Amino acid sequence: MKLDGNLLNNVKGFLDSQEGQGLYDIALEASRLGPCLEVGSYCGKSTLYLATACKENNSILFSIDHHRGSEEQQPGELYFDPELFDPETGQVDTLKEFRKTIKTAGLENTVVPMVCESEVAARLWATPLGLVFIDGGHTYESAFKDYNSWVGHIIPNGYLLIHDIFKDPQMGGQAPYHVYRLAVSSGLFKELPMIKSLGVLKRHDCRDVHQYLP
Ligand code: MG
């Protein structure tokens, strides 16, 4: 594996290394099926894991983030980081850090950054995807929009990964888990073992479909 441990330690982010390793392993399989896409790249920690795997298969990672920080990262909120605040614009700005991360890792020819809301990126999207990783806003509205925007683009045998799944409300917000349950109840996916708080769903092969018909 060609992940750079030093670099990973120096990138800001909320991804556990075991979850990151899971992203890498799954992306290594999924990027053979089609390009991968992540929603919520922040400073690029998850991007490093996913894109390093994509690069090994000469694939592409589309990486979506408006880079203005999610709801809980705004000034005064729990996950606000003053180092990521741009006084000139009076807004959080994670794009500069993100660009630095992918340049340092040599991933500029693998990652396609998309600086916008994920539902805008999805509006005219037509490329089938081998993997979608959802780790954007954690309100019900944001999590649902991200799910709804991308779930239809995942190809058979492709993966839907959702970060911050907490079945116990004491452990964390419930919006990602709510979306995870929606995906499971759609009947489109097989539930695979979670990796810490990373939910792993694999889209059924078309050939399996008779099992799910009434
Ligand atoms: Mg997360």
Side-chain angles (χ1 to χ4, degrees):
M1 175 164 111
K2 296 159 188 167
L3 288 167
D4 180 339
N6 271 342
L7 180 57
L8 283 164
N9 287 336
N10 287 324
V11 177
K12 290 174 188 284
F14 308 94
L15 190 74
D16 171 272
S17 60
Q18 212 176 313
E19 295 171 339
Q21 178 72 48
L23 288 182
Y24 171 87
D25 292 340
I26 296 166
L28 200 56
E29 176 191 332
S31 59
R32 291 188 194 110
L33 306 173
C36 299
L37 182 142
E38 70 169 341
V39 180
S41 45
Y42 195 55
C43 298
K45 188 169 264 203
S46 55
T47 314
L48 286 183
Y49 287 103
L50 292 166
T52 300
C54 288
K55 189 178 181 178
E56 288 185 40
N57 288 321
N58 285 320
S59 189
I60 286 287
L61 175 70
F62 297 100
S63 191
I64 303 174
D65 201 309
H66 48 57
H67 287 287
R68 293 298 184 202
S70 52
E71 297 85 352
E72 67 279 12
Q73 292 157 356
Q74 300 307 312
E77 300 297 325
L78 186 61
Y79 293 101
F80 175 63
D81 181 342
E83 286 178 10
L84 298 172
F85 186 75
D86 179 358
E88 207 174 296
T89 58
Q91 286 179 301
V92 171
D93 186 354
T94 54
L95 181 57
K96 201 173 162 192
E97 279 297 307
F98 176 78
R99 293 195 74 175
K100 199 164 86 183
T101 303
I102 56 172
K103 184 178 167 55
T104 309
L107 292 168
E108 285 180 308
N109 291 332
T110 302
V111 179
V112 178
M114 301 168 78
V115 185
C116 59
E117 295 284 344
S118 93
E119 63 175 331
V120 175
R123 202 173 288 159
L124 294 175
W125 191 266
T127 302
L129 298 165
L131 179 155
V132 169
F133 173 51
I134 297 182
D135 190 23
H138 286 29
T139 62
Y140 279 91
E141 192 188 1
S142 297
F144 179 73
K145 273 187 191 169
D146 290 339
Y147 169 73
N148 203 36
S149 295
W150 297 105
V151 66
H153 297 291
I154 301 168
I155 57 179
N157 291 316
Y159 287 86
L160 173 61
L161 308 177
I162 306 175
H163 196 221
D164 301 309
I165 304 296
F166 299 110
K167 295 182 179 177
D168 176 358
Q170 302 291 326
M171 300 299 289
Q174 293 294 285
Y177 183 48
H178 175 74
V179 161
Y180 177 88
R181 296 305 316 162
L182 268 180
V184 170
S185 62
S186 73
L188 289 171
F189 297 96
K190 180 182 179 193
E191 260 185 300
L192 296 179
M194 303 235 327
I195 302 165
K196 292 199 163 178
S197 77
L198 180 69
V200 182
L201 299 171
K202 183 168 187 174
R203 197 167 160 184
H204 293 297
D205 192 308
C206 290
R207 287 166 297 186
D208 301 337
V209 80
H210 62 275
Q211 294 175 35
Y212 305 96
L213 295 174

